[in-house]
Amino acid sequence: MITPYFLESFWGEKNNGFDVLYHNMKHGQISSKELTDFIRERSTIEEAYARSMTKLAKSAGNFSQLGTFAPVWDVFKSSTEKLVSCHMELVRKLQELIKEVQKYVEEQAKAHKKTKEEVASTLDAVQNIQTISQALQKSKEIYNAKTVEQERLRKEGATQRDVDKAGVKAKKATETYKAYVEKYATAKSEFEQKMSETAQKFQDIEENHILHMKEIIQSYSQSVNETQIQIGELHHEFVRNVENTSVESLIQKLSESKGTGKERPGPIEFEECNTAIATEGAKPRKRKPFGIPGRSKKDKDTDSTESTEVEAANTANGAPPGYYGAIDIQNANVPQVDAEGFCIRPEGNENDILFSL
Amino acid sequence: MITPYFLESFWGEKNNGFDVLYHNMKHGQISSKELTDFIRERSTIEEAYARSMTKLAKSAGNFSQLGTFAPVWDVFKSSTEKLVSCHMELVRKLQELIKEVQKYVEEQAKAHKKTKEEVASTLDAVQNIQTISQALQKSKEIYNAKTVEQERLRKEGATQRDVDKAGVKAKKATETYKAYVEKYATAKSEFEQKMSETAQKFQDIEENHILHMKEIIQSYSQSVNETQIQIGELHHEFVRNVENTSVESLIQKLSESKGTGKERPGPIEFEECNTAIATEGAKPRKRKPFGIPGRSKKDKDTDSTESTEVEAANTANGAPPGYYGAIDIQNANVPQVDAEGFCIRPEGNENDILFSL
């Protein structure tokens, strides 16, 4: 139970308390509209922040995919996108809250309208005591003036007729004055009773208003706080993800994705030409034409005037002119030496490079 | 000690590993520039957020100072201003970090330039083995072709002169081929040694690069985290401040600041006019003229045709016409009744309303 401050503090000269309390109630509508404005502005700020963060996430996503560090951008991108979600979630909650506050603003306006009707009789009582106080004061002044006038005439030895005439006026003024004293007593009693009730009513309204405002603020705080907690967790996740992306794992990842091969160049020895097989090999044999997946890169650097035979053979197989069947020696199964060119190894398996002659 | 992935994975056909690793190193410069961009963009976002929050704090400060709820806006304003400080502090930290990263970008570029010189001999070894591999391949083909040609001439029964001529050519081709086999062995050995050293050097560079990048990210994370913690504390302070602003305290505050008085209207009784004092009082006396601070409000509602005397007296005191000296009865020390108008209480103290006659 709250101390009835309003009941205690809105009396005083001029009986203006009612006016002050009534306007104070109306200010409550301004407060609740301003609270809506505040939450709306906050929501707008969060939305703009989220939008900027979306751009930042896109930037991280568009950063170079080359280099050892590149995979780390995924961590940045994903974390920033989650940050966007957090802020958008806050925006959604604030928008819902704004709807609630707007509902309250409407209810409050209706309640104030109803209250205005309910306190109309109090306003009457206020105006009544104000009017009667003034009239009482005036009637007292007139009474005093008339009484002094009669006394003056008597002392100055005026005619009895004039003294009597003044006496009638003084008596009339006395009656008016007495009547206002009585009227004032009634008005005062009425005013005190009405004003007491109304002051308490206004305090109840204010109490409920502030309670409602505090509930809204609590809801606002809760939403902001939830977002804070989410962002905190997100941040720790980011830190953890960066920590977990070890230097070794990045070095390994690059080696796997960009590695050029694990085989060092093999030794190459002199191979004597087996002319018997070379000649025999000139007859068409059932075998795959030249070309192994991933090994079809051309070697165009060779320039020889003595390669006519090789070129002719290649052309027959659809190989471009200038191709000499030079393949990547280093990629062969070391230490076994590949047989290329015209010298075809009798034991050559399907994966060996074969030339039709 | 990290596995020497680069040393293992950048051999293979075409000996392109060097090229891939060299470019990978150069991509490191892109990464560090992109990290600067990311932090700069984040800083810009935080600054814009802080600027919007400053506006929000101003809004809260400009909200109505009227009504019971008004004091709560101070809590909003102060909390929002502190939120601005947190974000501006983050901006300051990020700006400092950007300077550090820029310094790293420069150092990195210099280090890469130095590395380029250091690995120049490796590039030579790469080009050497590539060239010799091709030449070896070509010489082998020519050797095979010449040997087959000589064999063909012999089998087809060509003249001894032609067979001998072809024999000379075949012998020359054999020597060239053998020479390239030897050259290749030397080039291969040189290439393997240089490439091993350089692959490890490139891996060391990448390891240091990623470590440095991770340090920067850690510094970035720490700044963001510190801000998070500050904002969290700030939020709890806000919640506490709102909670501490009780409904009762707000009701009390308004009653104290806007209260119109604690005195209810006092009773007013009929007061007989003491004509002796009234007449005596008509003579000029040493007393304060009419007017008490805060009580000078006029009462213009009284309309009487019998107030001429009072008006005359007021006019003499500088009071406006229509003023009857009606003062606020309720403010008097109830239950003692003020004596106003022409009836001056003999015991009237200086604070009483006095009229000069």
Side-chain angles (χ1 to χ4, degrees), chain A residues 3 11 34 46 49 64 68 134 138 140-141 177 184 206 214 245 248 260-261 266 271 302 324 328, chain B residues 3 11 13 34 46 49 64 68 138 140-141 184 206 214 245 248 260-261 266 270-271 299 302-303 324:
Chain A
T3 314
W11 302 105
E34 284 172 340
E46 294 299 322
Y49 188 71
S64 173
T68 324
Q134 287 159 10
K138 201 177 91 183
K140 187 183 175 184
E141 286 159 11
Y177 176 33
Y184 172 79
E206 288 307 301
K214 285 184 85 170
T245 310
E248 175 141 15
T260 49
E271 289 178 75
T302 315
Y324 297 98
D328 305 301
Chain B
T3 314
W11 302 105
E13 57 168 328
E34 284 172 340
E46 293 298 322
Y49 188 70
S64 174
T68 324
K138 203 177 88 182
K140 186 180 175 184
E141 286 159 11
Y184 172 80
E206 287 307 302
K214 285 184 85 171
T245 310
E248 176 142 14
T260 49
F270 178 81
E271 287 179 78
D299 182 353
T302 316
D303 54 346
Y324 298 98

Side-chain angles (χ1 to χ4, degrees), chain A residues 136-337:
Chain A
L136 168 62
Q137 183 57 32
K138 201 177 91 183
S139 69
K140 187 183 175 184
E141 286 159 11
I142 293 164
Y143 155 72
N144 282 328
K146 295 302 166 198
T147 308
V148 168
E149 172 70 4
Q150 190 195 16
E151 187 65 15
R152 189 181 61 78
L153 288 173
R154 192 175 352 219
K155 276 187 179 167
E156 287 173 1
T159 62
Q160 190 58 37
R161 194 170 163 269
D162 283 352
V163 173
D164 287 351
K165 235 169 127 180
V168 169
K169 277 186 181 170
K171 198 186 169 220
K172 207 181 150 195
T174 309
E175 278 160 13
T176 307
Y177 176 33
K178 280 185 174 168
Y180 272 117
V181 167
E182 268 171 46
K183 272 189 187 173
Y184 172 79
T186 312
K188 172 188 170 303
S189 161
E190 172 84 1
F191 167 75
E192 266 194 87
Q193 187 227 318
K194 290 277 181 193
M195 189 57 197
S196 299
E197 283 168 24
T198 300
Q200 192 53 50
K201 184 193 275 282
F202 279 135
Q203 179 159 331
D204 292 345
I205 288 169
E206 288 307 301
E207 283 177 25
N208 287 327
H209 170 54
I210 298 166
L211 280 175
H212 208 124
M213 293 289 274
K214 285 184 85 170
E215 272 170 29
I216 295 164
I217 296 171
Q218 205 171 23
S219 180
Y220 165 81
S221 296
Q222 203 183 319
S223 300
V224 172
N225 195 41
E226 281 165 7
T227 307
Q228 276 304 308
I229 291 167
Q230 283 169 8
I231 292 173
E233 281 166 7
L234 203 63
H235 185 75
H236 290 127
E237 188 189 279
F238 171 76
V239 171
R240 217 164 39 240
N241 285 344
V242 172
E243 274 169 9
N244 289 346
T245 310
S246 68
V247 175
E248 175 141 15
S249 74
L250 289 171
I251 294 281
Q252 186 179 9
K253 206 165 189 171
L254 185 94
S255 302
E256 282 164 5
S257 65
K258 301 282 175 186
T260 49
K262 289 182 185 279
E263 305 300 339
R264 298 187 179 206
I268 302 182
E269 280 162 32
F270 177 82
E271 289 178 75
E272 206 160 331
C273 185
N274 186 336
T275 51
I277 292 169
T279 315
E280 186 201 318
K283 292 170 191 163
R285 274 172 57 182
K286 189 189 168 193
R287 62 168 77 99
K288 283 178 91 180
F290 172 76
I292 284 174
R295 288 191 183 177
S296 59
K297 294 260 174 80
K298 316 300 178 291
D299 182 354
K300 289 171 181 171
D301 292 335
T302 315
D303 55 345
S304 167
T305 50
E306 301 185 297
S307 56
T308 334
E309 302 94 329
V310 183
E311 283 201 35
N314 283 338
T315 310
N317 276 309
Y323 187 78
Y324 297 98
I327 67 129
D328 305 301
I329 299 156
Q330 291 73 23
N331 210 41
N333 291 322
V334 177
Q336 196 181 15
V337 179

Side-chain angles (χ1 to χ4, degrees), chain B residues 82-306:
Chain B
K82 283 178 189 167
L83 196 58
V84 170
S85 301
C86 285
H87 286 275
M88 284 314 293
E89 174 70 9
L90 177 57
V91 169
R92 198 191 55 73
K93 284 177 185 167
L94 295 181
Q95 289 298 326
E96 268 178 30
L97 185 57
I98 288 167
K99 278 181 206 158
E100 271 181 50
V101 193
Q102 279 173 332
K103 213 181 285 171
Y104 173 58
V105 168
E106 284 164 27
E107 282 166 11
Q108 191 187 27
K110 268 183 214 163
H112 285 186
K113 212 172 168 184
K114 193 165 154 272
T115 303
K116 191 182 177 181
E117 287 162 19
E118 287 166 0
V119 300
S121 63
T122 310
L123 181 58
D124 290 345
V126 170
Q127 287 168 344
N128 199 36
I129 197 176
Q130 284 172 339
T131 312
I132 289 172
S133 291
Q134 287 160 13
L136 167 62
Q137 184 57 33
K138 203 177 88 182
S139 68
K140 186 180 175 184
E141 286 159 11
I142 294 166
Y143 156 73
N144 282 327
K146 296 300 167 200
T147 308
V148 168
E149 173 68 6
Q150 190 195 14
E151 186 64 16
R152 190 183 59 79
L153 288 173
R154 193 178 348 223
K155 277 188 177 167
E156 286 173 2
T159 61
Q160 190 58 38
R161 195 172 161 268
D162 283 351
V163 172
D164 287 348
K165 234 170 130 180
V168 170
K169 277 186 184 171
K171 200 187 168 219
K172 206 181 153 196
T174 308
E175 278 160 14
T176 305
Y177 176 33
K178 278 185 175 167
Y180 273 116
V181 167
E182 268 170 48
K183 273 190 187 173
Y184 172 80
T186 312
K188 171 188 169 307
S189 162
E190 172 86 358
F191 167 75
E192 266 194 88
Q193 187 226 319
K194 290 276 181 192
M195 188 59 197
S196 298
E197 283 167 22
T198 300
Q200 192 53 50
K201 184 193 276 281
F202 279 136
Q203 179 159 332
D204 292 345
I205 288 169
E206 287 307 302
E207 282 178 25
N208 287 328
H209 170 54
I210 298 165
L211 279 175
H212 208 124
M213 293 290 273
K214 285 184 85 171
E215 272 171 29
I216 295 164
I217 297 171
Q218 205 172 21
S219 179
Y220 165 81
S221 295
Q222 202 184 318
S223 300
V224 171
N225 195 41
E226 281 164 6
T227 307
Q228 276 305 308
I229 291 168
Q230 283 168 9
I231 293 173
E233 282 166 8
L234 203 63
H235 185 74
H236 290 126
E237 188 190 278
F238 172 76
V239 170
R240 216 163 40 238
N241 285 344
V242 171
E243 274 169 9
N244 289 346
T245 310
S246 69
V247 175
E248 176 142 14
S249 72
L250 289 170
I251 294 282
Q252 186 180 6
K253 206 164 189 173
L254 186 95
S255 302
E256 282 165 5
S257 65
K258 300 284 175 185
T260 49
K262 289 182 184 278
E263 307 298 339
R264 299 189 180 204
I268 301 181
E269 280 162 34
F270 178 81
E271 287 179 78
E272 208 161 330
C273 184
N274 185 335
T275 51
I277 291 167
T279 315
E280 187 203 319
K283 292 170 191 162
R285 275 171 58 183
K286 189 190 168 195
R287 62 168 76 99
K288 284 177 89 178
F290 171 76
I292 284 175
R295 286 190 184 176
S296 59
K297 292 264 174 77
K298 316 300 177 290
D299 182 353
K300 288 169 182 170
D301 293 335
T302 316
D303 54 346
S304 166
T305 51
E306 301 185 297

Side-chain angles (χ1 to χ4, degrees), chain B residues 16-62:
Chain B
N16 269 343
F18 176 87
D19 190 56
V20 172
L21 287 178
Y22 182 77
H23 283 101
N24 183 58
M25 176 184 78
K26 299 291 277 181
H27 293 320
Q29 289 186 44
I30 299 174
S31 293
S32 43
K33 275 175 201 155
E34 284 172 340
L35 187 56
T36 326
D37 290 346
F38 186 90
I39 299 169
R40 190 182 287 115
E41 200 170 332
R42 175 75 193 244
S43 172
T44 305
I45 291 171
E46 293 298 322
E47 203 176 349
Y49 188 70
R51 225 177 291 123
S52 308
M53 280 288 174
T54 306
K55 277 186 204 161
L56 185 62
K58 271 187 194 154
S59 294
N62 288 334

